[in-house]
Amino acid sequence: MIKQLVADSINAQLTREMYSSNLYLSMSAYFSSINLNGFANWMRVQAQEEMFHALKFFDYLLDRGGVSKVGAISAPPSSWDSPLAAFQDAFHHEQLVTDSINQMAELAMKENDFATNIMLQWFISEQVEEEKNANDIVERIKLAGDSRSGLFLLDSELKTRVFVPPPPTK
Ligand code: FEO
């Protein structure tokens, strides 16, 4: 049976992942409102990825005989000053998520919960990708600068992103 402290940390993270999903869906709505539909698509796919992350925690806790609980989720912001500001927020948010996953791994090790530690390895690798993806776009928006054509080129590229659920790990 999973220790309560570890179960609590998984439920807290499950709720954070759902907040992440809402945050990115809200960013998608913002980008749609300024007619950057490729950016909107990228954020919509990101929202789906975050829901996948939430369900991964949800299912893992059930598999361990715990009780999965969805906590209160606060409303995300709904507008940003610019595409750059939105992606900088996304990058900053991913850095916070990395911190919380690392703290979970620390707790799992302290509690000798080897199974949770193995499950978290997937998220630790995923966070490297999550931070990189958001930061790459921050840097590319900066490169485009005041060039509308640069921004629209990036928008066309981001339109091609599709959600592909990662293969099951169990
Ligand atoms: Fe679930 Fe973007 O980390």
Side-chain angles (χ1 to χ4, degrees):
M1 187 70 161
I2 195 162
K3 289 183 183 166
Q4 196 54 49
L5 260 182
V6 179
D8 289 347
S9 78
I10 291 170
N11 276 327
Q13 188 60 30
L14 147 64
T15 305
R16 273 184 220 112
E17 299 288 347
M18 293 183 78
Y19 173 81
S20 302
S21 184
N22 288 354
L23 173 65
Y24 295 135
L25 196 59
S26 187
M27 287 182 177
S28 177
Y30 158 71
F31 281 117
S32 289
S33 77
I34 56 171
N35 299 311
L36 286 172
N37 294 323
F39 283 84
N41 173 65
W42 193 97
M43 283 297 179
R44 188 185 175 101
V45 171
Q46 191 61 29
Q48 287 175 289
E49 276 212 2
E50 298 301 349
M51 187 52 74
F52 176 87
H53 294 168
L55 291 174
K56 207 168 165 69
F57 284 116
F58 184 92
D59 289 340
Y60 173 77
L61 192 48
L62 292 179
D63 286 350
R64 292 289 309 278
V67 178
S68 299
K69 289 181 193 157
V70 179
I73 302 166
S74 54
S78 57
S79 69
W80 285 265
D81 289 340
S82 64
L84 179 61
F87 264 92
Q88 281 174 325
D89 264 13
F91 177 48
H92 178 62
H93 181 69
E94 288 305 328
Q95 290 176 309
L96 295 177
V97 173
T98 300
D99 285 347
S100 58
I101 298 276
N102 288 344
Q103 282 170 28
M104 290 176 77
E106 235 180 281
L107 177 69
M109 284 190 278
K110 191 167 147 259
E111 297 294 326
N112 292 327
D113 188 333
F114 304 112
T116 298
N117 198 27
I118 288 170
M119 180 273 292
L120 287 170
Q121 299 307 306
W122 185 90
F123 282 96
I124 289 168
S125 303
E126 176 74 359
Q127 281 312 119
V128 173
E129 197 66 18
E130 292 281 83
E131 285 193 28
K132 177 190 183 312
N133 290 344
N135 195 40
D136 277 356
I137 298 173
V138 165
E139 293 306 319
R140 292 186 64 192
I141 297 172
K142 283 185 190 167
L143 273 178
D146 293 332
S147 157
R148 275 177 179 265
S149 56
L151 199 62
F152 283 124
L153 197 65
L154 183 55
D155 190 61
S156 304
E157 188 184 319
L158 299 184
K159 206 172 277 176
T160 61
R161 187 183 189 196
V162 287
F163 175 62
V164 181
T169 49
K170 61 170 186 172

